[in-house]
Amino acid sequence: LSKKIMQNQNLEMKLEKLEAELKGKITEYDAQEAKLAPLRQKFQGIVKRQSDAESELNSLKAKVEEQQTKKSQAEANLKNLSEDDELKELNENILLLSTKEEDSAKKLSAEIETLKKKIEELKKKASTLTSPPPVSAGVPAPPMTGLGPPPVGAGLLPPPPGLGGPVGLAPPPGGLGPPPTGGILGPPPGLGAPMAVKKPSKRGMTKPKTKPKKKMNALHWKRILIDQMLDQSSEETLWRVLNSFQVDFDEEEFVTLFTSEKKKTKGKGKEGKKRQDNQKKRVDIRVLDNKTSQSVAIMMKSLPSIEQTYYAIIKMDKEELNEDKLTKIIANLPKPEELALIRAEEKKDPLARFDKPERYFKTISKIPVLALRLRIWKFSYTVGESIKFHTDRLVIMQKACTELCQSKALLQAIQVVLSVGNYMNGKTRRGQADGFHMSLLSKIKDTKSSDGKTTLIDFIAMMCKRSNPGLKDALAKEMEFMLRSNEVPEWKELNAGAGAIDGQFKTNTKNVETVRKATERASEDIKKADRFQVVMEEFLKETKKKVNTMLFERKQALTAFKEAVSFFGTGLEDKVEIPKSSQEFLKPFRTFTADLIKAWPVDEKKENDAAAGEGGAKRGALRGITGKKTFGGSLEKSKKLGAKAMINALKRGVPKLRQIKKKRNG
């Protein structure tokens, strides 16, 4: 019974364990379900978005098909249009223009009629006014000088300007007659060839009507008629006096001089007229906005002619289009809507002459996949410098990290720092250290002595020199690239830059193939002149080698960086991780090395000996040349020692000599 009881207890305990495990599993399952719930919702949302996208895609495809059918129908309609329809349209346009001209002519004639009516009304008003007493006969004509305008109160029209002073020559009698109905001024009768004179046709006209032999230039004056004058009784007016005078002149000469008919030029028949008509029709048309037109015009000043630019792009001519010019062209590429405006205007008027920016856009747009071609060409200009920059920096970083791990001089110096630091921290919890974080190396020079005259880096340099006098030269040699590590950007930037160059190279390799296929479908003129494929094949071959070299150096730099981080790490991490900032890791070593070399103590005895030798170098050289003893020996010895001292002085340099003398003198 006791055994059975024990067995039951064991079974109960097992059941309890199983129940606990089951509860744990249930809680885990619930937690997983809770985690999966948002994921399921996201998945459902993605499925819904995918279905929406598919429906939108189908609708877009349907729209594209509709547009294609409309386009094909429009093309068929355009083909079906015959020349008769076009002629009909032209005739309709001509009729519309003629009707417009007729309407404008009718309006002008109506205005003329209204003006005539107003003039008649003014005449009637003038006749109703009280007239002055009649002019007595036999009144002598006033003298020709000093004729002024009539009194203000007389109400007469003012005389023409310029007649207030003396008149040297009598004008023709009564002035030239009124212009004929055509608006052309006729000359007065002359001596050379008497003209057919008619009596005045209208009431109030005192001058006979003249008919010029040719159409004459008009003399635009304001006509005065004697019958319309208000003061009919007085003859003391210029125009009444001049009415009795007559002037004779050569009609032929006058007509040849002042005719409005242009002479017919020889050799210009119908072809000349057509050429003139075409020149009139050719007008520089602008369809681009002012900002675009101005920027393109400014750019074109730095480029060759439009045709030369066109062929330079096709032939990949680097002499005609350098990187700067190519950048300007890419910045001012024609947009599809701008090209559509140019084509629409060209369809309206085939004879239209576009402005320079429009002609430039029209010409270069003939090149297939122009924008892509130019971007690839620009990439070929810039990628070489980018690859060189990244490769050189990766090499510096790789060698700097390798120097950290292999430099024996650096390890000796760090050992001195560790010994000095343990002594300084002997009575504190920081003492008895087996190592320290490398960030301390850049702060050693900030620790000053008690009197403030020296620093800890000066003392460490002195200790290093005592233990190993040649450590300074070894450190400078072994840490050459570490001292240049400030030229290297952050590892993240360097790594990303190299990856971006590799991606751009692969993309442009595919783009070259796209341009090649597009050029095959181009015109024969472009195919013959095109050198894109030849130039790009050579470029891609050379650039691929450079890119592979850069990627190899990136791999080597990463390996060396990880080894350096692991070597100088604390050893407490399970896995070596690259620091967030590569410069923060490299800076303490670079700063410590530079500070230690700078603080390296000078050997005073050697400096004094060198100063003495250099000070006597000139004397020795001079004595050796003049033949006098200076070094207490023979003349030959003096010459040898003087020459040697002179060579040493020249090697060390005069500034160093001055520095030694100052130090020695106190």
Side-chain angles (χ1 to χ4, degrees):
L1 185 63
S2 62
K3 284 179 181 179
K4 284 181 179 180
I5 289 166
M6 290 292 290
Q7 287 175 359
N8 287 332
Q9 288 176 354
N10 290 331
L11 287 170
E12 284 176 359
M13 288 179 71
K14 285 179 181 179
L15 282 170
E16 286 175 359
K17 284 181 181 179
L18 288 170
E19 284 176 358
E21 287 177 2
L22 185 61
K23 285 179 182 177
K25 297 272 182 170
I26 289 165
T27 52
E28 286 178 5
Y29 178 75
D30 292 336
Q32 287 177 357
E33 281 290 326
K35 288 179 182 178
L36 286 170
L39 292 172
R40 281 173 184 160
Q41 289 178 357
K42 285 182 182 178
F43 179 72
Q44 287 173 359
I46 290 164
V47 170
K48 189 178 180 182
R49 273 182 246 150
Q50 187 178 1
S51 62
D52 293 340
E54 285 176 356
S55 61
E56 285 179 5
L57 183 63
N58 291 328
S59 63
L60 286 170
K61 283 180 180 178
K63 286 180 182 178
V64 169
E65 287 175 359
E66 285 178 6
Q67 287 178 357
Q68 285 177 352
T69 51
K70 285 179 182 178
K71 187 180 177 183
S72 59
Q73 287 174 2
E75 288 175 355
N77 292 330
L78 285 170
K79 287 178 182 177
N80 292 330
L81 281 173
S82 61
E83 293 181 356
D84 295 336
D85 296 334
E86 291 177 0
L87 287 170
K88 284 178 183 177
E89 287 179 3
L90 288 170
N91 289 327
E92 287 174 0
N93 291 331
I94 290 163
L95 286 169
L96 286 170
L97 288 170
S98 62
T99 51
K100 285 179 182 178
E101 287 177 358
E102 286 176 2
D103 294 337
S104 61
K106 285 178 182 177
K107 286 179 182 178
L108 286 170
S109 61
E111 287 176 2
I112 290 164
E113 289 296 330
T114 52
L115 287 170
K116 284 180 179 178
K117 287 177 182 178
K118 285 180 181 179
I119 289 165
E120 291 295 331
E121 288 175 2
L122 288 170
K123 283 181 182 179
K124 287 177 183 178
K125 285 179 182 179
S127 62
T128 55
L129 294 171
T130 56
S131 58
V135 181
S136 60
V139 179
M144 296 301 294
T145 57
L147 292 175
V152 178
L156 299 175
L157 292 168
L163 291 174
V167 180
L169 185 65
L176 296 176
T181 53
I184 307 298
L185 178 66
L191 285 171
M195 294 186 298
V197 179
K198 291 184 180 180
K199 291 182 180 180
S201 58
K202 290 184 180 180
R203 187 182 173 186
M205 300 289 184
T206 60
K207 294 290 187 293
K209 190 174 181 180
T210 57
K211 285 188 177 180
K213 290 182 178 180
K214 292 182 181 180
K215 197 174 181 180
M216 305 296 291
N217 291 328
L219 186 63
H220 299 285
W221 60 17
K222 290 182 179 180
R223 188 175 63 172
I224 297 173
L225 298 174
I226 293 172
D227 287 352
Q228 291 178 1
M229 289 182 179
L230 299 177
D231 191 3
Q232 296 290 338
S233 62
S234 174
E235 286 190 359
E236 293 185 3
T237 59
L238 173 67
W239 309 116
R240 289 185 186 281
V241 173
L242 295 181
N243 196 20
S244 59
F245 285 89
Q246 289 185 358
V247 177
D248 297 327
F249 58 89
D250 190 352
E251 184 185 5
E252 294 293 334
E253 185 183 3
F254 186 73
V255 169
T256 52
L257 287 172
F258 295 99
T259 182
S260 62
E261 293 179 2
K262 292 183 179 179
K263 293 180 180 180
K264 292 182 180 180
T265 55
K266 294 180 180 179
K268 282 189 179 181
K270 293 181 180 179
E271 292 181 1
K273 286 182 180 179
K274 284 182 181 178
R275 199 178 300 114
Q276 286 178 358
D277 293 340
N278 290 336
Q279 285 175 359
K280 286 179 183 177
K281 286 180 183 177
R282 286 182 183 176
V283 181
D284 288 352
I285 296 172
R286 291 184 178 183
V287 294
L288 302 175
D289 58 274
N290 291 332
K291 189 178 179 182
T292 306
S293 183
Q294 188 178 4
S295 61
V296 173
I298 292 166
M299 175 199 67
M300 288 177 69
K301 290 179 182 178
S302 63
L303 298 178
S305 65
I306 295 172
E307 191 176 353
Q308 286 175 338
T309 305
Y310 171 76
Y311 281 107
I313 293 170
I314 294 171
K315 293 178 181 179
M316 305 281 286
D317 193 345
K318 292 185 178 181
E319 292 181 1
E320 288 284 353
L321 298 178
N322 55 19
E323 186 184 351
D324 184 35
K325 292 178 181 178
L326 199 63
T327 306
K328 289 178 182 177
I329 292 170
I330 292 169
N332 292 282
L333 282 172
K335 296 174 184 176
E337 55 268 23
E338 292 168 344
L339 293 173
L341 287 171
I342 293 169
R343 292 191 187 105
E345 193 65 34
E346 196 175 13
K347 282 182 181 178
K348 287 180 187 176
D349 187 5
L351 297 174
R353 179 181 171 84
F354 288 103
D355 200 14
K356 280 187 178 181
E358 282 80 359
R359 274 184 277 155
Y360 169 76
F361 276 2
K362 183 184 169 185
T363 304
I364 65 166
S365 63
K366 295 175 185 177
I367 302 169
V369 285
L370 174 67
L372 189 61
R373 176 190 284 258
L374 292 174
R375 282 198 291 270
I376 295 167
W377 193 3
K378 176 73 182 297
F379 176 74
S380 69
Y381 273 119
T382 57
V383 71
E385 293 180 4
S386 298
I387 291 171
K388 188 178 183 303
F389 175 84
H390 285 80
T391 305
D392 292 348
R393 270 60 184 176
L394 287 166
V395 168
I396 291 170
M397 186 169 183
Q398 183 260 325
K399 290 189 175 181
C401 293
T402 305
E403 286 172 352
L404 280 180
C405 299
Q406 295 179 358
S407 175
K408 293 180 180 178
L410 179 66
L411 293 179
Q412 290 178 20
I414 290 172
Q415 179 61 44
V416 172
V417 174
L418 182 64
S419 301
V420 170
N422 272 327
Y423 186 85
M424 293 173 77
N425 294 327
K427 292 184 178 182
T428 64
R429 294 170 61 185
R430 300 189 193 92
Q432 296 178 313
D434 295 322
F436 54 88
H437 284 276
M438 293 296 112
S439 58
L440 173 74
L441 294 176
S442 59
K443 301 172 185 176
I444 292 174
K445 65 179 179 181
D446 298 331
T447 305
K448 294 185 178 180
S449 60
S450 303
D451 57 1
K453 291 181 179 180
T454 186
T455 61
L456 184 59
I457 193 71
D458 295 326
F459 182 81
I460 290 168
M462 185 181 67
M463 294 289 293
C464 289
K465 186 178 180 182
R466 287 176 185 174
S467 61
N468 184 5
L471 190 136
K472 176 190 171 184
D473 295 333
L475 195 64
K477 187 178 179 181
E478 292 174 5
M479 300 289 281
E480 177 188 356
F481 286 94
M482 174 53 66
L483 293 170
R484 290 177 57 193
S485 62
N486 59 338
E487 301 173 15
V488 181
E490 290 288 345
W491 168 251
K492 287 183 179 179
E493 295 176 11
L494 204 59
N495 184 31
I501 292 168
D502 184 34
Q504 289 171 6
F505 176 73
K506 289 175 180 176
T507 304
N508 281 286
T509 305
K510 293 177 182 177
N511 291 339
V512 167
E513 186 64 19
T514 305
V515 175
R516 185 187 67 77
K517 289 178 181 178
T519 309
E520 286 177 356
R521 298 190 295 271
S523 62
E524 291 296 326
D525 180 30
I526 293 173
K527 284 182 185 178
K528 287 178 182 178
D530 185 54
R531 290 193 72 254
F532 179 83
Q533 194 63 27
V534 177
V535 174
M536 283 297 113
E537 279 180 1
E538 187 179 350
F539 160 72
L540 291 174
K541 189 177 178 181
E542 292 178 0
T543 309
K544 190 175 182 180
K545 293 178 183 177
K546 293 177 182 178
V547 170
N548 289 336
T549 304
M550 179 189 68
L551 295 176
F552 174 75
E553 293 298 339
R554 182 177 69 168
K555 189 177 179 181
Q556 293 292 104
L558 180 60
T559 305
F561 188 31
K562 284 182 178 179
E563 287 177 358
V565 171
S566 176
F567 185 70
F568 288 96
T570 58
L572 302 175
E573 297 86 359
D574 296 332
K575 187 180 179 181
V576 178
E577 292 183 359
I578 296 173
K580 291 181 180 179
S581 174
S582 57
Q583 281 299 324
E584 283 184 10
F585 175 77
L586 297 172
K587 187 179 177 181
F589 300 102
R590 182 174 65 247
T591 306
F592 175 71
T593 304
D595 292 342
L596 190 63
I597 291 169
K598 189 177 179 181
W600 198 262
V602 179
D603 193 344
E604 292 184 4
K605 187 179 179 182
K606 284 185 179 180
E607 294 290 345
N608 290 335
D609 292 343
E614 289 165 3
K618 292 180 183 178
R619 292 195 305 272
L622 290 170
R623 298 298 186 276
I625 292 165
T626 53
K628 295 179 181 179
K629 294 182 182 180
T630 53
F631 291 96
S634 63
L635 182 63
E636 193 68 28
K637 187 177 179 182
S638 296
K639 285 181 180 180
K640 285 180 181 178
L641 290 171
K644 191 174 181 181
M646 177 64 81
I647 290 163
N648 289 332
L650 291 171
K651 282 182 180 179
R652 295 183 66 82
V654 176
K656 190 72 178 175
L657 180 63
R658 287 174 182 168
Q659 186 181 355
I660 293 162
K661 282 182 178 179
K662 283 180 182 179
K663 197 169 183 179
R664 187 178 61 186
N665 294 332

